[in-house]
């Protein structure tokens, strides 16, 4: 895979691993880093040999927000004309393959918002989540006020955004932001275990499921059900659907070909 300045990448069978690696700044996000992340996500999304992506940080931080030092003296003209936190920054939300976030340490501000763009979050016991932008005179700008209520409900999202407090992994799991909490040393192993399990299924079906679940957050129930039904019907055009059902009837493991 390509060489990056702020990322480390690796391929483990059908699982691509992207590690944010800017440890001196606790993986704070800047334009250069997120441009590299966009490129790495593009490569994994387009790679037919990849089914699932694991996105991690370092042991101390998944991503500790945006680069405040760089932003401090910008004005409206700077952020509006540069389309700040839009260009490059939203790529994770449009990736068609499942993304598993493996979080240790801080996932706050933009880091929390990046984790929410992923499809499930495995958190270590050291993980800390939050939207502290109110403490520096602004508000979440990467989707925190929009994705957080959908993930944890309005009341909790209001508390998180209006206080700027940090919340531990256990609280984030209870709120519904995190799918599971494990010991820090088990975070990557657990994320890869889940990713490998998913990657053993049909890639087009994984993509159909992801698109259908995401539709639940962006449409009415009746529209979402109609979408699900049409995608379910479309799955019967797949070779993998034939293989999967035949394997079940024949009491053997399915040999999916991802088509």
């Amino acid at each position: 895979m390509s060489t990056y300045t702020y990322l480390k990448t690796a391929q483990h069978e059908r699982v691509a691993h992207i590690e944010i690696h800017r440890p001196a700044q606790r993986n704070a996000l800047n334009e250069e880093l997120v441009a590299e992340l966009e490129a790495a996500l593009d490569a994994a999304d387009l790679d037919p040999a990849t089914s699932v992506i694991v996105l991690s940080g370092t042991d101390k931080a998944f991503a500790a927000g945006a680069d405040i030092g760089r932003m401090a003296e910008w004005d409206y003209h700077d952020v509006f004309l540069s389309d700040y936190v839009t260009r490059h920054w939203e790529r994770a939300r449009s990736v068609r393959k499942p993304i598993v976030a493996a979080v240790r340490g801080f996932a706050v501000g933009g880091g929390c918002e990046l984790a929410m763009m992923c499809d499930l979050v495995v958190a270590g016991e050291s993980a800390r989540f939050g939207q502290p932008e109110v403490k520096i005179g602004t508000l979440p700008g990467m989707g925190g006020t929009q994705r957080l209520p959908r993930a944890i409900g309005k009341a909790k999202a209001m508390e998180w955004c209006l206080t700027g407090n940090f919340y531990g992994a256990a609280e984030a799991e209870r709120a519904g932001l995190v799918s599971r909490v494990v010991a820090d040393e088990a975070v990557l192993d657990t994320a890869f275990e889940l990713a490998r399990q998913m990657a053993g299924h049909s890639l087009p079906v994984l993509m159909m499921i992801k698109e259908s679940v995401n539709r639940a957050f962006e449409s009415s129930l009746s529209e979402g059900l109609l979408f699900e039904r049409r995608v379910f019907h479309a799955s019967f055009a797949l070779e993998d659907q034939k293989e999967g059902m035949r394997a079940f009837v024949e009491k053997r493991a399915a040999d999916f070909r991802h088509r």
Side-chain angles (χ1 to χ4, degrees), residues 58-217:
T58 51
D59 58 347
K60 301 297 184 184
F62 177 73
D67 195 334
I68 305 302
R70 180 176 291 189
M71 295 164 53
E73 299 305 320
W74 291 351
D75 59 19
Y76 177 79
H77 177 273
D78 297 319
V79 294
F80 181 71
L81 288 187
S82 67
D83 208 13
Y84 183 57
V85 298
T86 303
R87 185 171 49 88
H88 304 315
W89 297 70
E90 287 283 310
R91 180 62 179 105
R93 70 179 291 271
S94 61
V95 171
R96 301 180 70 195
K97 297 172 181 177
I99 305 176
V100 180
V103 177
R104 296 167 293 176
F106 291 102
V108 296
C112 186
E113 291 165 309
L114 178 59
M116 285 190 286
M117 292 184 203
C118 300
D119 300 302
L120 57 152
V121 178
V122 175
E125 293 171 344
S126 70
R128 295 292 180 269
F129 299 87
Q131 297 294 162
E133 290 86 352
V134 67
K135 294 181 177 181
I136 57 171
T138 188
L139 66 153
M142 264 176 74
T145 66
Q146 303 304 302
R147 292 190 182 94
L148 197 58
R150 289 167 167 82
I152 68 175
K154 177 184 174 182
K156 287 286 188 183
M158 283 290 191
E159 179 185 326
W160 284 38
C161 292
L162 293 175
T163 65
N165 291 338
F166 293 169
Y167 299 86
E171 172 67 15
E173 183 185 33
R174 284 194 297 271
L177 183 66
V178 168
S179 59
R180 63 175 69 186
V181 178
V182 298
D184 279 0
E185 58 269 22
V187 169
L188 283 175
D189 286 343
T190 303
F192 276 104
E193 179 185 350
L194 288 167
R196 283 191 293 267
Q197 184 177 353
M198 287 184 269
H201 303 313
S202 167
L203 174 56
V205 174
L206 293 177
M207 295 165 72
M208 288 175 170
I209 291 171
K210 174 172 175 170
E211 190 173 4
S212 297
V213 173
N214 283 335
R215 184 59 63 100
F217 290 92

